[in-house]
Amino acid sequence: MSVLSDLRTVAVHRDFRKLFAVRLVSQCGDGMFQAGLATLFFFSPENMATAGAVAGAFAVLLLPFTVVAPFAGPLLDRWRRRQVLLLGNAVRVLLTLAIAAIMVTQGVTVAIYVLALVTLGVNRFLLAALSAGLPRVVPREQLLIANALTPTLGAVSAVAGAGLGFLVGLVSPAGVMKDGLTLTLAAALFGCASALALRLTKDRLGPESAATGRGRSWAEVGRDLRASAADMVDGARYLVARRTPGLCLGVMAIHRFLYGVNFIALILISRNLLNDPANAGAGLATFGLLAGISFAGNGAGILLTPFAHERLRPSQWIVVCLVVGAASQALLAVTPAWAAIAVSAFLLGLSVQGAKIAVDTIVQRDTHDAYRGRAFSLYDMLYNAAFAGAAALAAAVLPDEGWSALVFLALAAVYLALALGYRSATRRVADTPRDVSVPDARAHPDPA
C-alpha cells in the first residue's frame, strides 16, 4: 500500500485533516528551531566537539524534562488537548521571539540555553498531546495507518523546516541578524500551528472527563499538579497491568537508549573522524547527509510497516525491527568506512521508525482514553531519560572520534538480547486488541 493511498484512507476524516495540519506546521517550525540549536551546540566553529562535550549538551537538554514529563500526561488527561495545542504553540511563539531578541542584542548567553530548554520541553508536551488525540479522530482499525503516516510525515515536515532554516542562513547576510531571522520565521510557523488548532472544537480531542479550565486559581493548579504525581503512578500501574502497552514502553526505552549512543557517535564521527575537527562546517554537512540517509531509513519503515502488518502482529514486527537494529550496529563495528556508516544509518532509521509505529499502535489500541495522555507522557519521560543515560554512557565509552568496534559490537548484542526477551514476553500474553471500554485494567486482565 502506498503512502498516498494510506493518506487517502485516513484523510477522509475531516478532523484528522485538521489535526494533521497542526502537526505538519508545528513540526516544520520545530525543525527550523532545532537546526539552529544543533549548529550552536555541536558544530560551532569556536567549539571543539569531544565525547564529553556532546554528551554533556544532550544531558543538559534532556535530563530536566525527564523530571518534568510525568506531569504532562495527567494534565493531558485532565485538560482539553485542543487547548494544549493552541496555547502550547502560542507559548512557543513568545519563547522563540525572546531567544531571537536576546541573540540579536546580547549574543549567546545563559538565557538562550534556559529558554531553549523550556521551548523544547513545550515541544515534547505538544507531541504527546498530538499522539493522545489521534485515536479520537480516526477509527480504531485505522490507527496503524495513522501512526505510520503522522509521525513520519511530521518528521518530513521537520526536515523541510530545517532545510528552510539552512536556506535562510545561506541567503541572509552574515551576522547576528541571520540567526534572529531564522528564529523569527520559526516563531511565525508556531503561530500558524496555534491558529490551525482553532479549527478543531474544544472537546474534539478529549479527554471525556476534561475540566473546562476556566477560572482556575493558583491553588487549583497546585492541587492538579499534586494530583498529577499520584495519577502518574496510577497510570504506570495501569500500563503494567495491561501488559502489552507496558512491555512496549519498556522496549522503546531501551531502543532509544541504544539509538542515543549511536546518534552521539554519529555526531562525533561526522566532525572528528570523517572530516578535519577544525572544519566545523564540513562536519555539519557530513552529519546532515548521514542524518538524511537515516531519515530515508525512516521512510522505508513507513513503507514496509503496512505490508508487515498484513503478515505479522505488531509485536512480531517490533522483534524484526530490533534484529535490523542489531545488524546496523554489527555492520558499523566492522569498519568506519563511509559506505558502512551510511548503510548502518539507513538500517537504524528503518529499525527505529518501524518499531515506533508498532509501539504507538499497541499503546493506543490497548489503553483507555482516560489513560492515553499519561501513557504518552511516560513515553516522553522514558525517551528523555534514555537519551540522557545514553549521553552518560557515550561520554564514558566513546573516543572523541566516535568510532569503537567494541562499543558497536556491544550495542548489537544488546539489540539481539532485547529482541529475544521481548519475543519471549509476548509469547506469554495474548497479543490481540484489548477491550478499552472500561478504564480499569483489572476489569479486563490479560490472559497469561
Side-chain angles (χ1 to χ4, degrees):
M1 199 181 300
S2 69
V3 173
L4 289 178
S5 63
D6 286 348
L7 187 58
R8 283 194 294 267
T9 299
V10 292
V12 298
H13 308 292
R14 181 176 59 182
D15 287 336
F16 168 81
R17 296 196 301 270
K18 295 176 181 179
L19 184 64
F20 191 42
V22 175
R23 177 185 283 271
L24 291 179
V25 176
S26 178
Q27 290 198 247
C28 184
D30 188 55
M32 187 180 294
F33 180 83
Q34 291 193 22
L37 289 186
T39 301
L40 174 67
F41 293 150
F42 307 125
F43 296 99
S44 296
E46 62 272 17
N47 295 331
M48 293 303 294
T50 64
V54 171
F58 269 107
V60 168
L61 287 173
L62 297 173
L63 189 56
F65 302 108
T66 304
V67 178
V68 174
F71 296 98
L75 293 177
L76 289 176
D77 292 334
R78 289 169 176 263
W79 294 351
R80 290 188 176 106
R81 293 164 192 154
R82 195 289 299 257
Q83 297 300 91
V84 170
L85 299 176
L86 170 67
L87 298 176
N89 277 300
V91 167
R92 289 207 293 176
V93 172
L94 299 177
L95 291 170
T96 306
L97 289 176
I99 294 173
I102 294 172
M103 290 187 68
V104 170
T105 58
Q106 302 178 29
V108 179
T109 66
V110 174
I112 295 291
Y113 290 87
V114 174
L115 292 173
L117 284 170
V118 177
T119 305
L120 291 172
V122 173
N123 176 55
R124 299 308 303 165
F125 194 92
L126 292 173
L127 291 176
L130 287 164
S131 294
L134 188 60
R136 306 274 300 193
V137 296
V138 295
R140 192 181 185 192
E141 62 272 14
Q142 293 179 1
L143 270 177
L144 180 79
I145 295 175
N147 282 321
L149 286 171
T150 55
T152 302
L153 295 182
V156 170
S157 185
V159 170
L164 179 61
F166 179 71
L167 180 61
V168 169
L170 287 178
V171 301
S172 301
V176 293
M177 293 300 296
K178 175 188 294 187
D179 296 323
L181 178 58
T182 301
L183 289 172
T184 300
L185 290 175
L189 288 171
F190 295 150
C192 290
S194 181
L196 286 170
L198 287 171
R199 298 196 304 159
L200 290 157
T201 59
K202 287 184 178 180
D203 295 316
R204 187 64 181 92
L205 302 181
E208 296 174 1
S209 60
T212 64
R214 297 173 182 171
R216 285 183 180 274
S217 67
W218 285 108
E220 288 174 321
V221 173
R223 284 196 296 270
D224 268 350
L225 292 177
R226 287 192 296 272
S228 292
D231 285 349
M232 182 56 64
V233 173
D234 181 56
R237 289 173 177 166
Y238 170 87
L239 293 171
V240 171
R242 298 291 283 182
R243 302 181 77 172
T244 49
L247 281 172
C248 281
L249 290 182
V251 166
M252 280 307 296
I254 300 173
H255 198 342
R256 289 294 183 181
F257 178 86
L258 301 174
Y259 173 76
V261 176
N262 185 276
F263 188 82
I264 293 173
L266 199 63
I267 292 175
L268 294 168
I269 289 172
S270 298
R271 177 156 183 181
N272 299 335
L273 182 64
L274 298 179
N275 295 283
D276 182 352
N279 190 348
L284 177 60
T286 299
F287 177 72
L289 179 56
L290 290 173
I293 293 172
S294 182
F295 178 73
N298 292 158
I302 183 177
L303 293 173
L304 291 176
T305 297
F307 289 106
H309 182 63
E310 295 175 0
R311 298 163 178 81
L312 303 171
R313 295 192 301 272
S315 62
Q316 293 174 320
W317 179 235
I318 290 172
V319 172
V320 172
C321 289
L322 292 173
V323 173
V324 172
S328 75
Q329 301 307 286
L331 175 62
L332 196 54
V334 175
T335 174
W338 166 260
I341 295 171
V343 173
S344 174
F346 179 88
L347 292 177
L348 190 58
L350 189 160
S351 170
V352 168
Q353 190 62 39
K356 184 183 185 305
I357 293 169
V359 166
D360 286 355
T361 300
I362 292 173
V363 172
Q364 291 175 340
R365 183 194 71 187
D366 295 348
T367 304
H368 189 274
D369 184 61
Y371 286 89
R372 284 195 186 110
R374 275 166 281 187
F376 284 97
S377 183
L378 280 167
Y379 198 137
D380 286 343
M381 182 188 69
L382 293 172
Y383 173 92
N384 290 324
F387 255 92
L393 178 64
V397 302
L398 284 175
D400 290 344
E401 291 77 16
W403 185 83
S404 167
L406 183 60
V407 169
F408 291 121
L409 281 175
L411 293 178
V414 176
Y415 264 118
L416 284 177
L418 181 61
L420 292 173
Y422 180 68
R423 180 171 179 266
S424 175
T426 53
R427 280 184 166 183
R428 295 194 293 269
V429 300
D431 181 27
T432 54
R434 303 289 190 260
D435 183 357
V436 294
S437 59
V438 178
D440 189 350
R442 292 170 297 182
H444 300 284
D446 291 341

